[in-house]
Each structure stands twice: as C-alpha cells, then as structure tokens.
Amino acid sequence: MSVQLKCRSAAIGYDGKAVIKNIDFQVSSGDYLCILGENGAGKTTLMKTLLGLIPLIGGELEFCGNMSKSKIGYLPQQTPVQRDFPASVSEIVLSGCLSRCGIRPYYKAKEKELALSIMKRLSIEKLSSCCYRELSGGQQQRVLLARALCAARKMLILDEPVTGLDPRAAHEMYELISTLNRNDGTTIIMISHDVNAVQYATHILQIGRTQLFFGEKQKYLESSVGMSFLQNIDTEAFI
C-alpha cells in the first residue's frame, strides 16, 4: 500500500500557539485511522490542519504521490443550523461535486451520474427529492456521507460521524463506513471520542497533552495508553 500522508514532529494550534506537539503518524492507501482523545484534546484542530483550514505551527505535513487536499472528502460534525437546512437531498449530494467542476458554473452529466450512483450505493436514492431537514438523523448522515464521497477521490475524513445518532443508526453508519473501506479501498480518517469506533480501525492515533500513541490497533489495545483510555471496556470485540 502506498503512503498518502505523512506527519512528522507536527505542532498544531491557533494563532501561532501550539496545543499539541510532536505528533508523528502516516496514512497509507486503504488504512482506517481512528483519531482518539478526550474532549479538548486537539482532535478537531488536527483535522482542520489536515484539511488546510488552519496552518501547521511546526514540523511537517506531507501529501505523498498524487495525493492532495483536493482529493479528500470531508464529513463535518453537524450543527443544529445545518440539520435544518431547507435543500433537497439531491441538491446537497450533488454539491459535493463542486470541486470536480473547476471554474465551470454548472454540473455536467457525469457529475449528476456520479451523485446518483453514490445515492444508490448508500440506499438514499428514493429520498432524492425529499427536503433534508425532514429526514431522520441517520438519513441526514447518509446524505452528508454521499456528499463527501462525491468530493473524495482517495480519502475520507469524518468528524464525529455518529454524534446525535441512536445506537442502531450509529451502528449502521459505522458498518457503512467500514464497507467503503474494505470493499472500495477508500482510506478513512475518523475523529471520534466514541470508543466503539476502535473496533473498525486498522490504526489508532491517540492525542492529548500528556499521552500520544500511533500504531496498529492490536498494539494500541495492548499498550498502557490504550488500556487506560479504554478501561472498563470489553476490548475482545475490537479484535
């Protein structure tokens, strides 16, 4: 598997002030990296740095080969305002193709066909004419995932994708993302504070002011960092 992203001795933060230092990890094609940490640990700051929304304060962040930020699909954490957005499902999904249009101010047939094929894969094509704000939480997340897939060429970054979902909808979302990784080879970077996300990952990056870990999932489960973070959790289901 080819390396798509390398992060060496990175320092991340805002206004030139580092929140976390000495972050080292890499992501290869087909990996499923789960980024863990307590609330306020810097997970979202790292995500914004990967997407180029805020600058790297120190160290190196390198996209390798033909990988670039423009080939990343992004599923953000929803806000209450976004949940009430009055657009149709098809309009939202198709908007994920904007990066493919360049300076062209309209969608071609190939972009419309891509959006439709992705909606079919995620079983939301029958919702295409429905208003987004009338959907359930699980349906809304599928719509946003479809939008991200329209933008993605090689990698998906997901920020807390099951927040606000009931247990059944959360499980279905995890399974859907895992299928995209296993069957389609889509590289996944998932930011989560939900320990259940660990079972789907191939690699774990845990960040925080006092504890840092990067490695394969099994090594994480056996590490002092992993055992401390996952205490009182039956990790046999994660293997």
Side-chain angles (χ1 to χ4, degrees), residues 196-214:
N196 290 305
V198 171
Q199 64 182 294
Y200 299 93
T202 60
H203 295 75
I204 303 294
L205 172 64
Q206 182 172 325
I207 63 175
R209 291 180 175 82
T210 59
Q211 291 183 316
L212 295 171
F213 177 93
F214 170 69

Side-chain angles (χ1 to χ4, degrees), residues 26-140:
Q26 71 176 37
V27 180
S28 296
S29 175
D31 281 355
Y32 191 138
L33 175 65
C34 185
I35 302 176
L36 300 175
E38 303 289 350
N39 289 335
K43 302 187 300 295
T44 298
T45 304
L46 176 58
M47 175 270 296
K48 291 180 178 179
T49 305
L50 295 179
L51 292 169
L53 300 176
I54 58 176
L56 188 68
I57 291 177
E60 299 177 39
L61 176 61
E62 176 188 1
F63 289 99
C64 306
N66 62 354
M67 186 63 201
S68 66
K69 290 191 289 289
S70 65
K71 296 179 180 179
I72 298 174
Y74 171 47
L75 176 61
Q77 190 173 169
Q78 276 208 94
T79 66
V81 172
Q82 290 169 327
R83 291 190 182 97
D84 200 37
F85 196 61
S88 71
V89 167
S90 60
E91 288 172 333
I92 291 175
V93 174
L94 192 55
S95 69
C97 293
L98 282 172
S99 62
R100 298 174 182 267
C101 297
I103 61 173
R104 176 166 34 90
Y106 58 90
Y107 301 110
K108 286 186 176 180
K110 63 181 181 180
E111 282 108 26
K112 295 178 181 179
E113 290 169 2
L114 174 64
L116 179 59
S117 68
I118 290 174
M119 284 193 286
K120 287 180 178 179
R121 283 171 59 195
L122 301 190
S123 301
I124 57 172
E125 74 276 14
K126 293 182 179 179
L127 302 174
S128 61
S129 61
C130 295
C131 183
Y132 176 77
R133 64 184 177 187
E134 296 174 357
L135 304 180
S136 68
Q139 289 172 330
Q140 286 186 342

Side-chain angles (χ1 to χ4, degrees), residues 2 5 26 38 43 46 101 114 121 133 144 152 156 162 182 187 189 193 198 205 215 231 234:
S2 59
L5 172 66
Q26 71 176 37
E38 303 289 350
K43 302 187 300 295
L46 176 58
C101 297
L114 174 64
R121 283 171 59 195
R133 64 184 177 187
L144 295 181
L156 276 176
V162 302
R182 294 193 315 268
T187 303
I189 299 178
H193 68 270
V198 171
L205 172 64
Q231 59 183 325
D234 180 10

Side-chain angles (χ1 to χ4, degrees), residues 142-159:
R142 283 183 180 244
V143 172
L144 295 181
L145 180 58
R147 181 184 185 275
L149 285 171
C150 282
R153 271 76 158 186
K154 296 177 177 293
M155 181 185 290
L156 276 176
I157 293 181
L158 308 107
D159 188 5

